[in-house]
Amino acid sequence: MIQGVLDLFHGRRKRRSGQEGDTRKIAATLAALVAATTIADRDGLDAPQLEERLGSRVERESVTGLDGLEFKHGIALYDELKYPADYSHLEYLNPNAPKGGTLVLPTGTNFDTFAPIAERGTGAPGRRFQNDSLIIRSGDELSAFYGRIADGIAITEDRMTVVFRIHPRARWRDGVPITSSDIAFSVESLRSQIAGRLYYRVIDSVERIDDRHVALHLNEPLQLPTLMSFVYLPIMPKHYWRDKDPTASTLTPPLTSGPYFVSEFRQGRFVVYQRNPDYWGRDIPINKGRYNFDTIRFEVYRDASVTREAFRKGLIDIWDESDARYWHSGFDIPALRRGWISKIRRNSGLEVGIREGIVLNNRRERFKDRRIRQALTLAVDFEWQNRTLHYGYHKRAHSYWPDTILAARGLPSADELTLLDPYRDRLPNELFEKPFSFPEVKNEEDHRALMERARELLREAGWRIEDGVLKNSAGEIFDMEFLARSPIEARTLLPYFQRLEQLGIRARMALASGDSEWINRLRGFGYDAALLSMRIQMPPVIGLTGRFHSDSAMVPTSANRSGISNPVVDFLIEKAISATALPQMIAACRALDRVLLWEYYQIPLYAVARRTTVHWGKFGRPDYEPKYQPAYPDGWWYDTAKAARIVGFGVSR
């Protein structure tokens, strides 16, 4: 048994950094080995059974010493922290914002559970208002994180362990202190789920050093995606969940530690969050100017038309309008002319990339030919669609992360060529010879030229038009089924179908009957193409593997809807993720951008742009809106003087 457990741990050690001679880590492994051996001997488990029991992790006893660790108030991987240890508040928040009033927001989430890590069901909207996180991301820095529950963060020299020091005032709403046991319990609970093990697979083990210190031991050096994942790690009270299952669906709001708590709800109709005046973190610097509304209410609306009408009547306060038709003229009502409502554009924050694009299923044999993918791309007349259907509001995405420092520009730089040169024989020559951009259709002549080039590419790929129908040498007809889930998507696709018909391609729409069919078709790869959002967080490293890496190509639940599987892409993703300096990440992401674009795996359409928002004019907002993560609606506040001007609409809550 001992040898079997030794083999098990030896395998884990090889997956770590490869550095030997670290006395602390060896001691930690031996301590865990003793614990694991005890379990194995007690329960009669062999090594494979023990592996299954442990779920590829072992919770360690305290072996990490605090001596020599340098705790800081925040961490930034690529730059220095903007805010010093004695900062009073974030520049993009108003520390003097008044408290009070009610904010009513719409949601399409038909919730049926309050379980924090439910395996089934749909969680309630606004859950983040009742929860705290270990760290929080800075909105005006690219890769900076500051403590929240944790008032100190330390990283070992080899970057294989992160130690969090819990704020001495951190409390659950029942007054019980938040301790390292809660953090360990939360991590272990998450990692008991398949999704949790995948998302937090980088965590090798959790160690409770003492009540205020907890160590997360990693199986690879700390990288930005891991830090970003810590922001979304739900921290749960062990004493509350000790005799309950946090994965089981429940309509009992659980004990939390955040600035709000659930005060009222009706399943599938609304949920109300009440500000907790005794919230432990109300005065810590990261929160100064946040959480100003006494009440935040989410009303469930399943139809956008009904939601717009509710906004016009003053039943909801804010609406993000995604349809250009309604943004253009749908709110030209007396309240707008009187100045009672406002139309604004807000920064999208961390969300960058492609708002909408056509995903080609590269698992299908015909789409494995780059010439076919390029021909399908040339058939898109973006300018006509934007002008005719969207009033010219949209901008073409010429990059997978447009309008950022990571977007490919010009020819490859020297740093990019260092990454790309070893793979020249696997990449299109054009990648090295000219900048990428989608052709712009200015007139009918441009359109005809692009369509002729598309026909030429299809002929080179072995497809010819016979009697108006595109066929290959075997007589197979080139047809395409586009998966869609709403008539709005159909409206975008139908003009494209007309151009495909000019190429002899028979295109048809498969409109999903509901969310279940839509999800099942995506997970079963049951489509030739689909219209999807390709948004991604900035910087995109946390989402690259799930969207573009070979490892995710055949995973039904991944975001790799195109089934991209390319060793060059895999290499560049790994370089971007492992970058420890900003220039390294920029070079890897720009090189990756070029490869994805020149391979034509997907057809990007609209770039993510500033959000188009309408709101009733009874709120105050900070003067400065940060680029990466605006504090919305956290940093807004109720303005009684503005609200008093609005009469007759029942909106002076």
Side-chain angles (χ1 to χ4, degrees):
M1 182 65 242
I2 292 290
Q3 184 58 51
V5 178
L6 279 169
D7 291 341
L8 173 65
F9 275 86
H10 179 64
R12 286 190 184 139
R13 289 291 297 166
K14 287 197 294 184
R15 292 197 296 268
R16 294 175 68 91
S17 66
Q19 298 176 358
E20 301 297 332
D22 187 329
T23 303
R24 180 183 55 77
K25 287 202 173 83
I26 293 174
T29 300
L30 289 173
L33 172 61
V34 172
T37 304
T38 301
I39 294 172
D41 290 340
R42 181 193 66 200
D43 297 343
L45 303 177
D46 58 20
Q49 291 171 325
L50 179 61
E51 176 79 19
E52 182 178 0
R53 168 74 63 85
L54 296 176
S56 75
R57 78 210 186 280
V58 172
E59 184 176 318
R60 301 177 177 178
E61 296 300 319
S62 177
V63 294
T64 298
L66 299 178
D67 293 342
L69 291 178
E70 182 183 2
F71 284 90
K72 296 183 179 181
H73 63 295
I75 179 174
L77 286 191
Y78 302 138
D79 298 291
E80 295 296 322
L81 290 169
K82 174 180 177 178
Y83 297 97
D86 60 350
Y87 78 105
S88 61
H89 67 280
L90 301 174
E91 290 181 1
Y92 54 89
L93 290 169
N94 175 8
N96 300 313
K99 308 291 185 184
T102 296
L103 174 67
V104 181
L105 297 171
T107 179
T109 303
N110 188 17
F111 68 94
D112 57 13
T113 183
F114 288 107
I117 52 173
E119 292 185 334
R120 295 180 178 84
T122 303
R127 286 173 293 175
R128 67 186 181 90
F129 290 110
Q130 63 175 346
N131 296 318
D132 269 326
S133 56
L134 281 168
I135 56 177
I136 189 170
R137 189 168 183 173
S138 172
D140 53 356
E141 299 170 82
L142 180 62
S143 64
F145 302 81
Y146 293 87
R148 193 170 183 175
I149 287 178
D151 73 343
I153 308 161
I155 302 172
T156 55
E157 186 176 351
D158 62 1
R159 302 168 72 93
M160 296 292 290
T161 297
V162 183
V163 181
F164 294 103
R165 184 182 64 205
I166 298 171
H167 199 291
R169 296 204 304 268
R171 296 286 189 278
W172 300 104
R173 197 160 64 88
D174 62 359
V176 175
I178 299 175
T179 70
S180 60
S181 293
D182 298 315
I183 313 302
F185 169 79
S186 301
V187 173
E188 295 301 319
S189 296
L190 271 170
R191 286 174 56 85
S192 70
Q193 300 176 295
I194 294 176
R197 285 198 294 274
L198 288 172
Y199 194 62
Y200 291 101
R201 61 186 179 276
V202 71
I203 299 177
D204 188 70
S205 61
V206 186
E207 178 190 347
R208 302 188 307 274
I209 300 172
D210 57 33
D211 281 351
R212 282 194 60 201
H213 296 85
V214 61
L216 301 184
H217 298 287
L218 312 178
N219 52 39
E220 61 184 38
L222 179 66
Q223 299 166 353
L224 183 59
T226 305
L227 268 179
M228 293 170 72
S229 72
F230 292 159
V231 175
Y232 304 106
L233 178 66
I235 306 303
M236 299 175 287
K238 182 177 181 179
H239 70 283
Y240 175 86
W241 290 106
R242 183 180 291 111
D243 58 352
K244 303 178 184 68
D245 182 359
T247 70
S249 185
T250 178
L251 285 173
T252 300
L255 176 67
T256 56
S257 67
Y260 290 84
F261 60 91
V262 175
S263 62
E264 185 182 3
F265 73 93
R266 184 173 175 185
Q267 181 183 347
R269 296 292 299 276
F270 68 85
V271 59
V272 179
Y273 295 93
Q274 191 73 30
R275 187 166 60 84
N276 179 10
D278 299 320
Y279 170 47
W280 73 268
R282 63 186 180 276
D283 294 323
I284 62 176
I286 198 73
N287 287 338
K288 284 283 187 70
R290 294 186 195 269
Y291 313 124
N292 303 310
F293 297 102
D294 281 346
T295 303
I296 300 176
R297 182 184 182 101
F298 286 87
E299 292 277 357
V300 177
Y301 291 92
R302 302 304 303 277
D303 180 85
S305 296
V306 176
T307 310
R308 293 185 188 99
E309 190 57 32
F311 174 82
R312 295 185 189 104
K313 291 180 178 179
L315 300 178
I316 59 176
D317 293 324
I318 304 174
W319 169 245
D320 286 337
E321 183 54 74
S322 59
D323 192 317
R325 296 173 298 170
Y326 294 100
W327 175 252
H328 184 70
S329 58
F331 301 97
D332 291 344
I333 59 177
L336 179 67
R337 294 188 287 274
R338 292 170 182 161
W340 293 353
I341 65 175
S342 299
K343 295 170 67 176
I344 63 172
R345 289 183 177 270
R346 299 188 295 108
N347 285 347
S348 294
L350 295 174
E351 186 179 85
V352 298
I354 302 163
R355 174 179 171 180
E356 199 167 64
I358 297 172
V359 167
L360 302 174
N361 188 352
N362 294 269
R363 304 172 191 88
R364 302 282 168 92
E365 193 62 36
R366 66 183 54 167
F367 299 123
K368 292 179 180 179
D369 192 317
R370 175 178 174 268
R371 294 167 297 187
I372 289 177
R373 301 194 299 264
Q374 184 179 359
L376 295 173
T377 302
L378 294 176
V380 172
D381 188 346
F382 173 85
E383 286 71 29
W384 182 90
Q385 284 188 269
N386 190 32
R387 182 174 62 252
T388 306
L389 302 179
H390 306 294
Y391 301 92
Y393 283 126
H394 293 316
K395 179 181 177 182
R396 185 76 187 263
H398 292 275
S399 164
Y400 276 79
W401 17 92
D403 302 317
T404 73
I405 59 174
L406 306 181
R409 58 194 67 182
L411 293 174
S413 67
D415 288 342
E416 291 176 69
L417 288 174
T418 299
L419 301 172
L420 295 169
D421 272 337
Y423 299 97
R424 272 185 182 265
D425 59 337
R426 300 187 185 184
L427 295 170
N429 292 331
E430 301 99 310
L431 185 150
F432 298 94
E433 297 169 354
K434 58 183 179 180
F436 183 92
S437 66
F438 293 106
E440 182 179 354
V441 180
K442 298 178 181 177
N443 49 50
E444 188 60 29
E445 184 178 342
D446 290 341
H447 172 64
R448 284 196 300 269
L450 291 173
M451 293 298 283
E452 182 53 42
R453 175 57 180 153
R455 293 186 188 96
E456 181 182 340
L457 288 165
L458 291 170
R459 285 194 296 270
E460 292 175 6
W463 295 84
R464 283 175 168 75
I465 298 177
E466 298 179 11
D467 300 323
V469 178
L470 192 65
K471 299 180 180 180
N472 62 13
S473 59
E476 295 174 331
I477 294 174
F478 197 124
D479 56 3
M480 290 183 67
E481 183 178 71
F482 286 74
L483 182 62
R485 59 178 165 180
S486 74
I488 294 177
E489 292 180 356
R491 181 171 175 263
T492 300
L493 288 171
L494 286 175
Y496 182 50
F497 285 9
Q498 296 172 5
R499 287 162 177 80
L500 292 179
E501 187 177 1
Q502 296 174 29
L503 297 176
I505 296 173
R506 293 180 175 178
R508 63 185 182 276
M509 188 84 63
L511 191 61
S513 59
D515 289 345
S516 294
E517 183 185 357
W518 168 259
I519 292 171
N520 289 335
R521 288 284 297 271
L522 287 178
R523 291 180 175 178
F525 313 133
Y527 52 92
D528 291 318
L531 191 68
L532 292 173
S533 170
M534 305 175 196
R535 298 176 175 96
I536 196 167
Q537 277 200 3
M538 177 68 181
V541 289
I542 194 171
L544 293 180
T545 299
R547 290 171 184 266
F548 307 117
H549 199 282
S550 298
D551 288 349
S552 62
M554 299 304 296
V555 177
T557 55
S558 80
N560 192 349
R561 302 302 185 191
S562 287
I564 297 171
S565 181
N566 183 327
V568 183
V569 170
D570 297 346
F571 167 76
L572 294 173
I573 288 173
E574 289 153 14
K575 285 295 184 181
I577 291 174
S578 62
T580 56
L582 187 58
Q584 295 173 352
M585 186 185 70
I586 290 175
C589 286
R590 287 182 179 178
L592 175 62
D593 196 23
R594 293 182 198 280
V595 174
L596 293 173
L597 290 167
W598 280 110
E599 290 288 358
Y600 296 100
Y601 290 122
Q602 301 172 339
I603 307 177
L605 296 176
Y606 318 122
V608 170
R610 300 186 74 195
R611 294 184 184 274
T612 46
T613 300
V614 289
H615 70 88
W616 283 90
K618 53 181 180 174
F619 303 113
R621 295 184 290 146
D623 295 330
Y624 164 50
E625 185 180 47
K627 179 178 181 180
Y628 295 114
Q629 192 159 351
Y632 167 84
D634 307 8
W636 289 31
W637 61 89
Y638 185 82
D639 189 315
T640 54
K642 289 181 178 179
R645 299 185 300 111
I646 304 172
V647 295
F649 274 76
V651 294
S652 299
R653 287 182 290 271

mmCIF file of all heavy atoms in Angstrom, residues 136 419 429 538:
data_model
loop_
_atom_site.group_PDB
_atom_site.id
_atom_site.type_symbol
_atom_site.label_atom_id
_atom_site.label_comp_id
_atom_site.label_asym_id
_atom_site.label_seq_id
_atom_site.Cartn_x
_atom_site.Cartn_y
_atom_site.Cartn_z
ATOM 1 N N ILE A 136 -10.412 41.117 -5.495
ATOM 2 C CA ILE A 136 -11.255 41.783 -6.470
ATOM 3 C C ILE A 136 -10.346 42.444 -7.500
ATOM 4 O O ILE A 136 -9.257 42.926 -7.174
ATOM 5 C CB ILE A 136 -12.185 42.822 -5.798
ATOM 6 C CG1 ILE A 136 -13.210 43.365 -6.788
ATOM 7 C CG2 ILE A 136 -11.397 43.931 -5.133
ATOM 8 C CD1 ILE A 136 -14.298 44.200 -6.118
ATOM 9 N N LEU A 419 8.141 33.456 -32.330
ATOM 10 C CA LEU A 419 7.166 32.407 -32.040
ATOM 11 C C LEU A 419 6.672 31.710 -33.296
ATOM 12 O O LEU A 419 6.419 30.496 -33.294
ATOM 13 C CB LEU A 419 5.972 33.009 -31.288
ATOM 14 C CG LEU A 419 6.267 33.692 -29.952
ATOM 15 C CD1 LEU A 419 5.024 34.406 -29.434
ATOM 16 C CD2 LEU A 419 6.752 32.673 -28.926
ATOM 17 N N ASN A 429 1.207 31.557 -46.215
ATOM 18 C CA ASN A 429 2.273 32.510 -46.553
ATOM 19 C C ASN A 429 1.831 33.945 -46.308
ATOM 20 O O ASN A 429 2.647 34.800 -45.924
ATOM 21 C CB ASN A 429 2.679 32.341 -48.022
ATOM 22 C CG ASN A 429 3.382 31.020 -48.277
ATOM 23 O OD1 ASN A 429 4.032 30.472 -47.385
ATOM 24 N ND2 ASN A 429 3.246 30.497 -49.487
ATOM 25 N N MET A 538 -10.751 40.506 -21.016
ATOM 26 C CA MET A 538 -9.458 41.120 -21.266
ATOM 27 C C MET A 538 -8.611 41.077 -19.983
ATOM 28 O O MET A 538 -9.102 41.474 -18.916
ATOM 29 C CB MET A 538 -9.668 42.565 -21.717
ATOM 30 C CG MET A 538 -8.411 43.366 -21.939
ATOM 31 S SD MET A 538 -7.496 42.753 -23.360
ATOM 32 C CE MET A 538 -6.085 43.883 -23.332
#
